[in-house]
Amino acid sequence: MDAETAYFFRHALLRDAAYELHPPSPRRALHRLALGILEELIPPAERGPLAAELAWHAHQGQHVVGRTTRSLGLLRRELEYLLLAARWAEGKFDYTAAQAAWRACAAHPLASPVQRLTALTKVADALASLGHPEQASLALQGAETHAAVPEAARMLHTSRANVARHAWRFAEAEQEYLQALSLTDAADHETLAALNGNLAVVRMHLGRLADALQGLDSALRFNPLHAPFRQDRAIVLFHMGRREDALEEFRQAAEIAEHAGEPRVAATVLANYASVLLNLGRGSEVEAPLRRALQLQQPVGDHRGEATTLSVLGAHLTLTGRYRDALHATRRSVMLNREAGNLGVLAITLRNLAVLQIALGNAELASAPLKESLRLEREAGNELGCALTRTAQGMLAHARGNLNAAIELQREALAGCEKLGNAVHACDARIQLGRALRDAGRQSDAEAALQQALAQAGPLGRLELQAAATGHLALLWRRTRPGEAEAQWDAALRLCESCGNQLVRDELEHDRATQA
């Protein structure tokens, strides 16, 4: 065979069989040879993508009995490559590979107590990011024996807080972050900034917006060019009603991240910025930042971030009536979210997919995504997500003609949104409730619900909600008050045009055609 010839195995098992035919000692020698060749060919700075393979060769090249000088050297190189593989996977947001590599680091015979603790907390963080908080908590139980010194205890409290935050146990997360802060050296500005930033996010979820803003301001004093903190500050400002300040903070955060050469961070900020614009009903401004986010994410393989961006893009395309494009973006988002274990965004995207299928007239394809979305939201303890899925299930029941079920589901959704103080989604649920009551022939109840929704929509500044409430009232009055109904209908269509919401218009047109 010449130098360009390579073996070709027609079945993977043939390759495995050929490998097993080698006696153990020559096989170990082959692994050491492969390790040496790869290390010679690949500069140290470029070994990240192959770090797991290098660690495997170092492990397989060791003697089974006794520790020779060569075996100790291979052990050290194995640990070095396992650490590199774990960090590389983290950087790629591949949490499945990251937690596997960190587990191997924690079990490695040469790992120090601090390295074991770091590895176990990293395993827990990765599992929490994958949507497995119970497994993450179990991983941390093994870390407690290594947390004797303050720095180690701080790491453990931080990881517990991260796990609790991913599980939506925000009160518990707050206490753990406070414990970690109490164990942090006052001169360690980087750690103080990170803890203050994470604590602020938790307090935002607890509804303590002033405390959250104060914490983020403190974090930004340590690091004013930290784009994720600026993004979190933008989200807090948005929830405080300071919308223009929030949008400006998002723009600054994206600019800082791009200038710092952090495409993943910049893309995440842009996607969240677009999501806020979508939430504000400013549809004409949404698509540009989303397209830019995808331009940043796709070349670097940020599939987790791409999945989130595509989810927002799919929602935007649905609202603007580009249903086929929306279906493509949403289905790809579902696929990428599954692969990345991004269960929180997966639940949202499945709900969006169901609403899209209903809009396309494919009600039979909406049931399974909604069931899975509700299961994921319940497992995560996300009460708002459960309420929003109930709204979508009510719409599905309505599309199937099961109006009594639709009414009950919308009432359940409305109660959930009102309990959580979410006025926008409560208004949406009330509109859908009024619509179901109208089609069930309960005219006075329908009118009361729709009039209340219309009164709510105005102060919220949500044109699409005003359009929906106005249009459904017009349909309610078509036979009893035709003059007012026609004026209301025209007003609803103008509102749909003003906010660019084709989904609401299509729903109104569908209901009008059904009445006719």
Side-chain angles (χ1 to χ4, degrees):
M1 294 176 67
D2 60 36
E4 297 300 318
T5 303
Y7 285 105
F8 175 74
F9 296 98
R10 294 187 178 277
H11 195 287
L13 293 179
L14 292 177
R15 180 181 58 193
D16 294 344
Y19 176 79
E20 292 297 332
L21 286 173
H22 281 79
S25 182
R27 199 187 304 161
R28 288 194 292 272
L30 283 173
H31 282 293
R32 291 193 293 272
L33 177 62
L35 177 64
I37 290 172
L38 288 171
E39 287 180 326
E40 186 176 339
L41 290 174
I42 307 170
E46 298 174 14
R47 291 175 186 169
L50 289 175
E53 183 178 341
L54 291 165
W56 180 68
H57 284 305
H59 178 78
Q60 294 294 331
Q62 297 164 28
H63 288 283
V64 178
V65 180
R67 284 189 180 175
T68 64
T69 301
R70 181 165 60 189
S71 287
L72 283 171
L74 287 168
L75 271 170
R76 292 189 188 96
R77 284 151 80 189
E78 180 190 8
L79 178 58
E80 174 189 337
Y81 288 128
L82 283 172
L83 289 166
L84 178 58
R87 294 185 185 115
W88 177 263
E90 274 187 340
K92 291 292 183 182
F93 298 92
D94 185 352
Y95 295 113
T96 300
Q99 68 93 16
W102 283 121
R103 278 189 193 278
C105 291
H108 198 276
L110 295 188
S112 68
V114 171
Q115 285 175 323
R116 291 185 200 283
L117 175 64
T118 300
L120 288 169
T121 58
K122 292 285 192 178
V123 168
D125 289 348
L127 287 169
S129 296
L130 288 168
H132 305 303
E134 297 83 5
Q135 294 179 36
S137 297
L138 287 174
L140 286 178
Q141 289 179 7
E144 293 172 359
T145 56
H146 305 292
V149 297
E151 181 185 354
R154 173 185 59 73
M155 290 170 58
L156 183 58
H157 283 297
T158 302
S159 190
R160 284 174 176 163
N162 293 339
V163 170
R165 188 180 70 181
H166 277 94
W168 294 71
R169 302 195 305 266
F170 296 117
E172 178 186 336
E174 181 183 29
Q175 293 307 309
E176 293 289 352
Y177 280 131
L178 287 171
Q179 287 282 352
L181 276 168
S182 71
L183 295 168
T184 305
D185 192 304
D188 188 354
H189 293 168
E190 184 177 350
T191 301
L192 287 170
L195 288 171
N196 274 306
N198 288 334
L199 180 60
V201 172
V202 165
R203 286 174 167 168
M204 176 179 66
H205 284 288
L206 289 169
R208 289 156 51 193
L209 299 178
D211 290 343
L213 188 61
Q214 183 179 0
L216 286 165
D217 287 343
S218 175
L220 286 165
R221 277 195 294 274
F222 290 121
N223 189 352
L225 297 180
H226 193 275
F229 292 158
R230 288 211 168 272
Q231 172 186 244
D232 292 336
R233 190 173 189 274
I235 295 169
V236 172
L237 289 169
F238 171 71
H239 287 299
M240 293 177 81
R242 295 167 57 181
R243 295 175 177 179
E244 292 305 320
D245 290 341
L247 294 176
E248 179 57 31
E249 197 80 13
F250 271 121
R251 288 189 284 266
Q252 286 187 25
E255 187 177 333
I256 287 169
E258 287 217 52
H259 285 171
E262 298 177 325
R264 287 186 177 85
V265 176
T268 300
V269 173
L270 287 166
N272 286 326
Y273 172 52
S275 184
V276 167
L277 289 169
L278 189 65
N279 193 274
L280 291 171
R282 292 166 61 167
S284 62
E285 302 172 52
V286 169
E287 196 160 342
L290 289 175
R291 297 294 183 189
R292 177 58 184 153
L294 289 172
Q295 287 175 355
L296 293 168
Q297 288 162 335
Q298 289 168 345
V300 297
D302 182 7
H303 298 311
R304 190 181 180 89
E306 183 185 353
T308 302
T309 302
L310 285 169
S311 181
V312 180
L313 179 61
H316 167 65
L317 293 170
T318 299
L319 294 178
T320 53
R322 289 177 278 171
Y323 300 132
R324 294 298 170 187
D325 291 340
L327 196 60
H328 174 75
T330 306
R331 281 175 170 165
R332 177 160 174 77
S333 176
V334 168
M335 181 191 74
L336 292 174
N337 277 308
R338 287 196 197 283
E339 291 175 357
N342 198 6
L343 301 185
V345 179
L346 176 60
I348 295 168
T349 311
L350 286 166
R351 183 166 61 243
N352 292 344
L353 177 60
V355 171
L356 177 55
Q357 295 288 16
I358 294 167
L360 286 167
N362 302 325
E364 71 282 358
L365 299 178
S367 181
L370 286 175
K371 285 180 181 177
E372 186 178 0
S373 176
L374 187 61
R375 176 181 62 79
L376 291 169
E377 299 289 24
R378 282 174 171 167
E379 289 175 357
N382 186 356
E383 292 182 54
L384 179 60
C386 290
L388 298 183
T389 304
R390 285 301 192 203
T391 298
Q393 286 181 321
M395 293 169 66
L396 175 59
H398 196 147
R400 288 173 163 173
N402 192 344
L403 296 174
N404 288 332
I407 290 166
E408 291 309 309
L409 285 164
Q410 297 302 353
R411 281 179 171 156
E412 186 180 338
L414 176 59
C417 292
E418 288 185 328
K419 175 188 170 185
L420 297 167
N422 193 303
V424 170
H425 292 301
C427 185
D428 186 35
R430 183 170 274 111
I431 291 168
Q432 291 298 327
L433 173 61
R435 176 176 174 243
L437 288 165
R438 179 201 65 208
D439 290 354
R442 297 166 59 175
Q443 305 302 303
S444 60
D445 291 340
E447 183 165 0
L450 291 169
Q451 289 281 24
Q452 189 174 352
L454 186 57
Q456 286 179 317
L460 291 171
R462 301 299 298 266
L463 296 183
E464 79 281 9
L465 294 175
Q466 293 179 55
T470 302
H472 287 302
L473 273 171
L475 294 174
L476 179 69
W477 294 340
R478 279 185 79 187
R479 290 185 176 86
T480 58
R481 296 150 69 176
E484 286 184 65
E486 198 60 35
Q488 288 282 87
W489 182 259
D490 291 341
L493 296 188
R494 285 196 298 272
L495 285 166
C496 286
E497 188 174 348
S498 295
C499 65
N501 195 311
Q502 188 64 34
L503 182 66
V504 169
R505 179 165 186 153
D506 287 347
E507 181 182 87
L508 292 171
E509 296 280 11
H510 170 272
D511 286 5
R512 189 177 195 184
T514 302
Q515 282 187 352

